[in-house]
Amino acid sequence: MSHSPHSPASPSGTGNSALGEINKKHVLAWASWDWGSAAFNAVMTTFVFTVYLTGEAFGGEDYASGILGYGLALSGLAIALLAPLTGQRSDAGGRRKYWLGVNSVAVAVLTALCFFVYPSPGFLFLGVALIALASVFAEFAGVNYNAMLGQISTPATIGKISGFGWAMGYVGGIVALALVLVGFVLPENGWFGATAEDGLNIRLVAVFSAVWFMAFALPVLFTVPEIPRQPKAAALGIAASYGLLFRRIKAIYRTSPHTIFFLLASAVFRDGLAAVFTFGGVIAAGTFGFPLTGVIIFAIAGNVVAALGAVVGGYLDDRVGPKKVIVGSLIGLLAAGTAIFLLGAESHSVLGVSWTGDTTFWVCGLLLCLFVGPAQASSRAYLARLAPYGEEGEYFGLYATTGRAVSFLAPSLFALCIGIFGAQRFGILGILIVLLAGLLLLLPVKEPREIPTATTPAA
């Protein structure tokens, strides 16, 4: 598929873009998938199932965590190698919604199979394999899901709708976590007779997460139209698909270099954004002395604030452009993170106003969450504006690949700074360095409206 360097993207698959209208039913169905996928992201991979999988019952925290780390590293490698290809092939074949459905079903089935991961060292590899494989299919589904953004929005609403989707994801995660805590984790006798014996309560959480994800994935599969098959789309083998991919990357760099610059800059700052959530709870507990219940309460509040930030940032995105929203958000993140780093857990008093370390973390930590939402949502909207019509899947595949390629940065600098200075608090400095690097890489990149659409070779 080839585009002239300055041609606008073609009308979206909804058929409403030319009229400047959006189909609200399509938007709600699309965002429902984000709501449902939070059960896998928040419950399975962040707060509940991986915590269970790295417990003493599976051979000790250090050993089990190491095996999980290797498993997720392999899944990350598979995503980096295959994500652009999956996007390219679904674009060409006119099967974006089909592959979103196939990959979503794969995630749900693999998640449900975690029910058979009993608390015993002999089941560790099964559990890690299921989570790692589900992570691969979740990322593939996400490529096709993100590529749909251009179908269900217009140039004037793409930021707002991207922000709405992110907000639905945050709130869906909160609701799923709350139901899991109330129904399975906290009570001695939970729903469906769940007790902690043989890890039944956590194994049932896996089934709950699978049903939750699939139930909320269905609306988009039944509501949003499929994209048309590209005319003269060739049926390529794997080697030929990679050849086409590399030719297209060269063509994008030659005809629209700022598209490549954005992919690289966003990969860096997105790693910093991910680290804010990954290590936020760790810092709250380790540096600021929050108990587990305090960490969970802060996580819920933080997700609510991040959702609000994503919605507000989406409206601003459509008015001032995604780059300004991302730059403003990164500056806000750097300011709030620096305050947490400098003030620490000590009590302070300035001009007669006194506050504790807890107050520092609550105020500045929620500010971090406020700025994470719009940065993530506008990053997705930025790329959706750049992707030529019919090639959105391939572009979001590259988005996933570049993100995975640098995903070691923030965790490595977090650990390195702690190792150098000997205190967890200095890990914050490592995250700030990554966010600053991402900001500096983004500053020379133009707004999407100033970037010519790439001319790429046809299949």
Side-chain angles (χ1 to χ4, degrees):
M1 186 164 197
S2 181
H3 301 266
S4 65
H6 295 278
S7 67
S10 302
S12 74
T14 63
N16 292 325
S17 286
L19 302 174
E21 299 172 356
I22 56 169
N23 186 317
K24 291 181 180 177
K25 189 165 77 168
H26 291 174
V27 173
L28 287 171
W30 178 79
S32 173
W33 189 92
D34 234 332
W35 174 287
S37 68
F40 179 73
N41 297 325
V43 177
M44 294 300 291
T45 64
T46 305
F47 291 112
V48 181
F49 196 80
T50 50
V51 174
Y52 163 73
L53 203 56
T54 54
E56 287 300 318
F58 290 91
E61 183 180 333
D62 293 340
Y63 171 71
S65 296
I67 298 298
L68 178 64
Y70 285 124
L72 293 177
L74 285 173
S75 73
L77 179 62
I79 291 162
L81 291 174
L82 297 172
L85 238 58
T86 62
Q88 178 197 102
R89 293 162 87 85
S90 66
D91 286 344
R95 308 191 84 184
R96 182 176 295 159
K97 185 170 74 169
Y98 171 82
W99 284 112
L100 173 62
V102 168
N103 288 313
S104 296
V105 169
V107 175
V109 169
L110 289 163
T111 300
L113 288 173
C114 289
F115 175 78
F116 299 102
V117 179
Y118 289 84
S120 162
F123 288 90
L124 174 62
F125 282 90
L126 173 63
V128 169
L130 290 171
I131 287 293
L133 269 175
S135 296
V136 172
F137 286 110
E139 194 78 49
F140 290 169
V143 167
N144 288 294
Y145 172 75
N146 287 334
M148 277 186 173
L149 177 56
Q151 288 175 252
I152 50 101
S153 64
T154 67
T157 60
I158 198 165
K160 178 172 68 175
I161 290 172
S162 180
F164 176 64
W166 272 106
M168 286 283 278
Y170 288 128
V171 178
I174 295 165
V175 175
L177 274 172
L179 290 173
V180 162
L181 287 171
V182 170
F184 299 101
V185 176
L186 294 178
E188 286 186 25
N189 289 291
W191 296 340
F192 310 108
T195 66
E197 187 176 350
D198 274 341
L200 178 62
N201 58 340
I202 306 300
R203 293 188 292 117
L204 282 172
V205 164
V207 178
F208 166 84
S209 298
V211 172
W212 177 277
F213 180 27
M214 206 60 236
F216 289 104
L218 290 176
V220 71
L221 302 178
F222 286 107
T223 306
V224 178
E226 183 61 278
I227 58 168
R229 180 180 172 85
Q230 289 182 11
K232 300 178 182 175
L236 301 177
I238 298 294
S241 292
Y242 273 112
L244 177 62
L245 174 66
F246 290 129
R247 289 198 303 276
R248 283 182 169 170
I249 292 171
K250 282 189 201 171
I252 293 169
Y253 182 73
R254 189 174 63 252
T255 61
S256 184
H258 280 260
T259 299
I260 299 294
F261 299 158
F262 173 72
L263 285 169
L264 296 175
S266 75
V268 176
F269 70 69
R270 282 185 290 134
D271 190 44
L273 298 176
V276 170
F277 276 118
T278 302
F279 297 111
V282 174
I283 292 166
T287 299
F288 289 84
F290 278 37
L292 179 59
T293 51
V295 172
I296 293 172
I297 291 168
F298 179 82
I300 291 171
N303 275 277
V304 171
V305 170
L308 290 172
V311 171
V312 173
Y315 277 94
L316 289 173
D317 181 306
D318 291 327
R319 283 155 181 76
V320 303
K323 180 185 172 182
K324 290 187 179 70
V325 173
I326 300 169
V327 168
S329 298
L330 292 176
I331 291 170
L333 283 159
L334 287 166
T338 300
I340 292 176
F341 172 63
L342 294 177
L343 295 173
E346 297 83 20
S347 295
H348 298 273
S349 181
V350 177
L351 299 175
V353 179
S354 301
W355 69 92
T356 63
D358 281 10
T359 303
T360 296
F361 190 83
W362 268 99
V363 172
C364 296
L366 289 179
L367 278 174
L368 283 172
C369 295
L370 179 70
F371 290 118
V372 164
Q376 289 176 318
S378 285
S379 184
R380 175 166 68 185
Y382 194 118
L383 187 63
R385 286 181 166 95
L386 291 179
Y389 176 72
E391 295 177 24
E392 296 93 343
E394 189 168 69
Y395 271 60
F396 276 104
L398 290 171
Y399 190 68
T401 292
T402 52
R404 290 287 173 170
V406 301
S407 61
F408 65 91
L409 275 177
S412 299
L413 282 169
F414 180 82
L416 183 63
C417 287
I418 293 173
I420 291 171
F421 297 102
Q424 188 196 61
R425 174 176 171 178
F426 285 89
I428 300 168
L429 186 59
I431 298 172
L432 292 174
I433 290 169
V434 175
L435 290 171
L436 178 61
L439 173 61
L440 294 175
L441 287 170
L442 180 65
L443 287 176
V445 183
K446 296 176 181 176
E447 284 279 8
R449 65 176 180 273
E450 300 168 356
I451 300 174
T453 304
T455 304
T456 53

